[in-house]
Amino acid sequence: MTQNRRVIKAVIPAAGLGTRFLPATKAMPKEMLPVLDQPAIQYVVAEASKAGLKDVLMITGRSKRALEDHFDRVPFMEATLEAKGDTEKLRRVQEATDLGEIHYIRQKDPKGLGHAVLCAKQHVGDEAFAVLLGDDLIDERDELLSTMIDVQEKTGGSVIALMEVDPSQISAYGCADVTAVEGEDYVRVNGLVEKPAIEDAPSNLAVIGRYVLHPRVFDVLEETKPGRGNEIQLTDALETLAAADGEGSGVHAVVFRGRRYDTGDKLSYLQAVISLASERPDIGPELVPWLKEFVSKH
């Protein structure tokens, strides 16, 4: 198995049920929840596109047709906007369709993130690829994915993204045991634990939803037994690769210190909306004074 090309493919698992946002997600995919005037998933696809990943495979599930419709052309709407001379709205509508070549495959059974990634094997082939979780929104001004791609090219294995969290929160995440790499900004991953008890966590470094993976991960996932939650865990496969030898082995990590929001969590979702709205020139100048007044009263 050989690969030395620049990463050009992205896989976005988007088959989850979004139960934390019920009943809003009863008939609408959680990835389509709006963050200001575009759905959360568009920020993720735009991040991949910005990093040069124009070939995107979205792993969907039942009732996710709205995702496909959103990234498709709507000629009647575009013609109507053009006829009205509404060039700004036309630009925003076309923005979603111009992000890259988006493909779709269904994860027929909800067997976990590892299984979702495995569904991409045929499309990805024998080359490194990125995985972006649709719930994680990374601020476009903060570099992460392109840095991870650089580290993958340098190390030849797989690369994950980590973020420091309060130790009391670590049991909600995958957790990494790491050691520094002399002279480098990235770290070596010695081991991973999925959602450990606080007292068992090897660090407060949480795995967040960005990965750049060597294709050897597919072979490992095919042999990975269901783990926590009776699901095939990507964390377990990466734990195996971290301890493996040979081509495609080894796992390194980039510790992200920028702005990240979990749009699958109600509080973090609201923080994303408020933070991004506050910085928008068309919304912020009116929103920020109102927020200050609102906070002062409460």
Side-chain angles (χ1 to χ4, degrees):
M1 180 178 287
T2 59
Q3 64 82 27
N4 54 13
R5 291 169 287 174
R6 181 78 175 175
V7 176
I8 59 169
K9 292 180 180 178
V11 174
I12 302 179
L17 296 176
T19 53
R20 286 183 288 180
F21 274 87
L22 285 171
T25 50
K26 179 182 177 183
M28 179 175 69
K30 65 175 181 175
E31 296 84 6
M32 290 300 294
L33 289 171
V35 178
L36 297 185
D37 46 12
Q38 68 184 43
I41 192 69
Q42 186 172 330
Y43 291 88
V44 179
V45 177
E47 180 189 349
S49 180
K50 181 184 174 186
L53 311 181
K54 300 291 188 178
D55 184 332
V56 176
L57 177 67
M58 209 169 286
I59 313 295
T60 67
R62 191 174 298 278
S63 304
K64 299 283 186 171
R65 181 62 186 270
L67 293 171
E68 298 183 36
D69 290 341
H70 178 71
F71 292 103
D72 198 2
R73 294 283 306 278
V74 188
F76 173 75
M77 179 184 289
E78 294 178 25
T80 301
L81 292 171
E82 188 170 12
K84 290 170 61 179
D86 200 337
T87 55
E88 177 57 21
K89 281 200 180 82
L90 177 61
R91 182 190 67 80
R92 294 299 303 274
V93 166
Q94 292 176 333
E95 198 171 38
T97 61
D98 294 339
L99 289 172
E101 195 69 35
I102 304 180
H103 311 269
Y104 303 89
I105 188 172
R106 280 200 173 187
Q107 182 186 18
K108 296 180 176 65
D109 298 305
K111 295 181 180 178
L113 177 58
H115 179 260
V117 171
L118 189 55
C119 290
K121 180 178 180 179
Q122 185 172 349
H123 181 84
V124 168
D126 193 18
E127 57 189 283
F129 63 105
V131 175
L132 298 85
L133 300 194
D135 285 347
D136 273 27
L137 193 159
I138 303 294
D139 193 293
E140 65 179 1
R141 295 163 298 181
D142 296 324
E143 288 293 328
L144 175 59
L145 193 55
S146 56
T147 301
M148 295 174 68
I149 292 170
D150 291 340
V151 172
Q152 195 282 327
E153 285 190 326
K154 194 169 187 177
T155 62
S158 293
V159 181
I160 65 175
L162 301 174
M163 195 167 188
E164 288 189 67
V165 300
D166 188 284
S168 65
Q169 303 298 315
I170 196 64
S171 58
Y173 297 88
C175 178
D177 173 26
V178 305
T179 53
V181 178
E182 188 174 352
E184 300 291 354
D185 292 334
Y186 56 85
V187 296
R188 180 182 301 279
V189 176
N190 304 314
L192 293 160
V193 184
E194 182 66 25
K195 297 181 179 178
I198 295 173
E199 61 272 15
D200 297 330
S203 72
N204 70 327
L205 291 171
V207 180
I208 59 174
R210 297 294 180 269
Y211 308 82
V212 181
L213 305 175
H214 187 279
R216 185 175 173 183
V217 74
F218 293 127
D219 296 333
V220 177
L221 284 169
E222 287 177 331
E223 300 298 324
T224 299
K225 304 296 183 186
R228 189 180 182 92
N230 200 34
E231 296 180 337
I232 297 173
Q233 298 288 349
L234 180 58
T235 302
D236 292 342
L238 290 169
E239 167 90 356
T240 299
L241 284 174
D245 296 314
E247 184 181 353
S249 63
V251 178
H252 291 82
V254 173
V255 180
F256 181 61
R257 295 184 171 87
R259 290 154 287 196
R260 172 237 179 207
Y261 307 99
D262 178 1
T263 57
D265 173 80
K266 291 175 184 175
L267 177 58
S268 191
Y269 171 80
L270 290 172
Q271 291 170 336
V273 172
I274 293 168
S275 296
L276 295 177
S278 297
E279 294 161 0
R280 276 265 294 261
D282 59 331
I283 304 173
E286 293 184 45
L287 176 63
V288 172
W290 177 84
L291 277 172
K292 289 179 179 177
E293 182 181 350
F294 179 82
V295 171
S296 69
K297 289 180 180 178
H298 290 75

